[in-house]
Amino acid sequence: MSVLVWFKRDLRLCDHPALCLAAERGPVLPVYIVEPELWAQPDSSARQWAFIAESLEGLRADLAQSGAPLAVRTGDAVAVLSRLCQQHSITDLVSHEETGTLWTYARDRRVAAWARSASVRWTELPQSGVVRRLASRDGWARSRDAFVALPRLPAPSITAVAGVEPGHIPSARALKLADDRCPHRQIGGRAQAERLLDGFLSLRGEPYRTAMSSPLTAERACSRLSPHLALGTVSLREAAQITRARQAERPGGRWGGALTSFQSRLAWRDHFIQKLEDQPSIEIRALHPGAEAVRPRLSDAARLQAWAAGETGLPFLDACMRYLAATGWLNFRMRAMVTSFASYHLWLDWRQSGAHLARMFTDYEPGIHWPQVQMQSGTTGINTPRIYNPVKQGLDQDPAGVFTRRWVPELAAVPDAFLHEPWKWPEARRLLGHRYPEPMIDVASAARAARDAIWSARRSPGFADAAAQIVTRHASRADARFVNDRTAPRKVPSAQLSLDL
């Protein structure tokens, strides 16, 4: 009996439950489906596809060495799977469980319906601590930890299904993706993931705890594994267990603290993805229904464009947006700041600003992205609104102005003392409104208006009752790793958790 393995966001051979199960059942046909409709969605971009294409090349090479080259097909998933199963007399389909977008959720429902009608057995296996059809968050952390503690699976020995053409990996242009220049984008592929993890655990990660907040230091001090975890070139279990082994070697000092923090963030990763698994509508509807009417659904187009382009007149914020455009990555604190600024100061709808950020992030993971966008936009109803001041963040995270000057070179003539507030410079008229825009809002008054609107909505009848239901459904339970979760039904510290990986 031959088995078709449908690769989605699990582009590796090691620790691959679906591939191992398929290898036990018979000859294997590994398949990746390029779905043009998926790449027409507003959260998709050429930079993401470039990373995936590189990862597919690496996966194809690894599979070829294992005896079963990767088949790449372009088209509708149901049509592709149906055609391959008919051509090769396959009645067994195996894949991992995916927590993706509403589009992929609907796609999987169509695949399930086809499989039933075609008498194809579709087996989906978990590849993380996320649990399908979870009845309650009680005991979830123990379940997640038990999964992560299971032995890693070695790359299986594979017998290939004969007579399968490998197929072509299309270009971004072939997928009609808009030109998306990202000159400093991370490179995809398993080999890159392994190098990053080894470099982080052996050298770069020691200052992780203190260096993750500033874009100046986070680029090197963070693991930078996030796009590889999102695409599955490395499994979360691999990352956690390899880190655990390094913790045993370095139990104390800065290294001990850094690796403990990293493990916590790996656990938090599953925690947030579980939220989307439990409530897929988080992508398009405010977690708390009372938050829907707070902002207009149609955002101010000029404000949205200026924010996206890094042309708001707030230097540090603009530097972060330009850095993101050029690299596809931004450290967590700055992600929170740019989201907060869009949602509070500019009063933009979180769905529109969130879609832009999704396209920019090479490491876009829907299960982290949309819950975090809502958290930083004040729409969960259970997280205390945190309105980041971009001027203060610039002074705190880039006090010498090194980062800001690199990404906003228009400010070269501005003295250091005025860099983060160039409108206070006595000679500002020479620059503002000409080579660099004037600030598009008054930071203090915009924050005050947003705070008043958010808290007014929270005082409305029934808001607290709905919030209590959200806590019951989504909040983490008592666990030392989750003490910073403001959704927890108890008093917790005020610091926001950083998910930097």
Side-chain angles (χ1 to χ4, degrees):
M1 178 180 66
S2 299
V3 186
L4 190 154
V5 178
W6 180 15
F7 285 84
K8 300 183 192 178
R9 294 194 289 138
D10 50 345
L11 308 185
R12 64 183 184 279
L13 269 64
C14 296
D15 198 35
H16 197 297
L19 185 61
C20 289
L21 176 63
E24 293 174 358
R25 290 183 177 178
V28 173
L29 171 53
V31 175
Y32 182 87
I33 305 173
V34 183
E35 302 168 272
E37 188 179 343
L38 172 62
W39 290 98
Q41 300 304 305
D43 56 355
S44 299
S45 64
R47 65 184 60 194
Q48 295 167 355
W49 174 250
F51 187 93
I52 292 175
E54 292 160 354
S55 300
L56 289 173
E57 292 284 7
L59 176 62
R60 173 169 273 176
D62 291 344
L63 279 166
Q65 290 183 356
S66 297
L70 177 70
V72 176
R73 298 291 184 269
T74 300
D76 174 75
V78 170
V80 170
L81 292 171
S82 177
R83 184 164 56 250
L84 287 172
C85 287
Q86 290 176 11
Q87 289 173 346
H88 302 284
S89 302
I90 292 174
T91 58
D92 214 352
L93 169 65
V94 181
S95 73
H96 84 274
E97 294 176 346
E98 181 180 15
T99 302
T101 62
L102 286 169
W103 191 93
T104 62
Y105 178 58
R107 184 269 319 275
D108 283 356
R109 289 173 64 89
R110 289 194 299 109
V111 170
W114 159 78
R116 288 191 298 269
S117 67
S119 298
V120 171
R121 178 175 57 166
W122 183 17
T123 305
E124 295 180 274
L125 298 174
Q127 67 163 354
S128 71
V130 177
V131 179
R132 282 268 173 99
R133 293 173 287 278
L134 184 67
S136 168
R137 272 299 183 114
D138 294 342
W140 176 85
R142 288 191 299 274
S143 171
R144 182 263 175 196
D145 290 349
F147 178 89
V148 171
L150 291 173
R152 284 176 279 160
L153 301 170
S157 177
I158 303 171
T159 301
V161 172
V164 180
E165 289 293 325
H168 176 65
I169 299 174
S171 66
R173 178 173 294 182
L175 292 174
K176 300 180 179 179
L177 291 168
D179 185 30
D180 180 21
R181 299 178 187 276
C182 189
H184 305 295
R185 174 183 60 80
Q186 286 184 253
I187 304 301
R190 170 79 178 186
Q192 291 289 330
E194 291 176 329
R195 279 194 285 270
L196 284 170
L197 182 58
D198 180 67
F200 174 72
L201 295 178
S202 61
L203 181 63
R204 294 185 295 109
E206 186 175 11
Y208 178 64
R209 267 186 167 174
T210 56
M212 68 171 68
S213 293
S214 170
L216 272 171
T217 52
E219 181 178 305
R220 176 172 172 80
C222 291
S223 76
R224 305 305 301 278
L225 277 178
S226 52
H228 295 279
L229 290 169
L231 268 297
T233 57
V234 64
S235 76
L236 184 135
R237 181 159 53 195
E238 288 178 297
Q241 292 191 10
I242 294 171
T243 301
R244 183 69 65 196
R246 190 58 56 92
Q247 284 178 288
E249 300 169 3
R250 296 171 166 173
R254 281 219 302 174
W255 267 114
L259 298 181
T260 297
S261 293
F262 183 62
Q263 287 282 27
S264 293
R265 280 143 185 87
L266 291 176
W268 270 98
R269 187 177 189 278
D270 282 347
H271 166 71
F272 275 97
I273 296 175
Q274 185 70 56
K275 293 180 184 233
L276 189 64
E277 176 67 35
D278 293 343
Q279 192 168 336
S281 64
I282 287 175
E283 178 189 348
I284 61 170
R285 286 199 292 273
L287 189 61
H288 195 296
E292 283 290 3
V294 174
R295 294 180 183 86
R297 284 296 296 267
L298 186 62
S299 293
D300 183 306
R303 286 188 167 196
L304 181 62
Q305 174 57 32
W307 168 79
E311 296 285 348
T312 67
L314 280 301
F316 184 62
L317 183 128
D318 289 343
C320 288
M321 295 301 290
R322 296 181 190 187
Y323 172 85
L324 171 59
T327 66
W329 185 84
L330 193 60
N331 64 309
F332 181 84
R333 180 180 287 272
M334 298 305 97
R335 295 187 192 209
M337 181 192 72
V338 299
T339 302
S340 167
F341 185 83
S343 295
Y344 292 119
H345 294 90
L346 300 184
W347 211 235
L348 302 176
D349 182 74
W350 58 272
R351 283 159 282 239
Q352 292 178 276
S353 57
H356 171 77
L357 291 175
R359 291 190 296 272
M360 291 294 101
F361 292 144
T362 309
D363 61 3
Y364 172 50
E365 172 62 72
I368 295 175
H369 182 74
W370 293 110
Q372 282 291 333
V373 165
Q374 290 217 37
M375 180 183 295
Q376 305 300 342
S377 300
T379 58
T380 66
I382 57 176
N383 301 100
T384 303
R386 185 172 190 184
I387 303 177
Y388 288 79
N389 182 325
V391 174
K392 182 180 185 302
Q393 288 299 312
L395 293 169
D396 290 348
Q397 307 302 337
D398 186 28
V402 175
F403 178 81
T404 303
R405 289 191 183 281
R406 177 182 177 187
W407 294 101
V408 191
E410 306 96 302
L411 302 177
V414 179
D416 290 349
F418 299 103
L419 179 64
H420 293 295
E421 298 175 283
W423 53 91
K424 293 184 177 180
W425 181 33
E427 299 182 55
R429 292 301 96 199
R430 291 170 38 196
L431 174 72
L432 301 187
H434 307 290
R435 285 183 293 162
Y436 185 68
E438 297 185 17
M440 60 192 313
I441 49 92
D442 177 78
V443 171
S445 60
R448 186 163 51 250
R451 189 176 293 108
D452 290 346
I454 292 293
W455 284 109
S456 176
R458 291 190 171 209
R459 288 191 291 268
S460 62
F463 194 99
D465 291 339
Q469 295 176 13
I470 295 169
V471 168
T472 299
R473 183 173 187 180
H474 291 292
S476 62
R477 304 310 192 240
D479 187 303
R481 293 163 303 167
F482 301 121
V483 294
N484 284 336
D485 183 10
R486 294 194 190 177
T487 65
R490 63 192 191 285
K491 186 174 181 180
V492 294
S494 61
Q496 284 281 3
L497 173 82
S498 166
L499 277 170
D500 279 311
L501 296 171

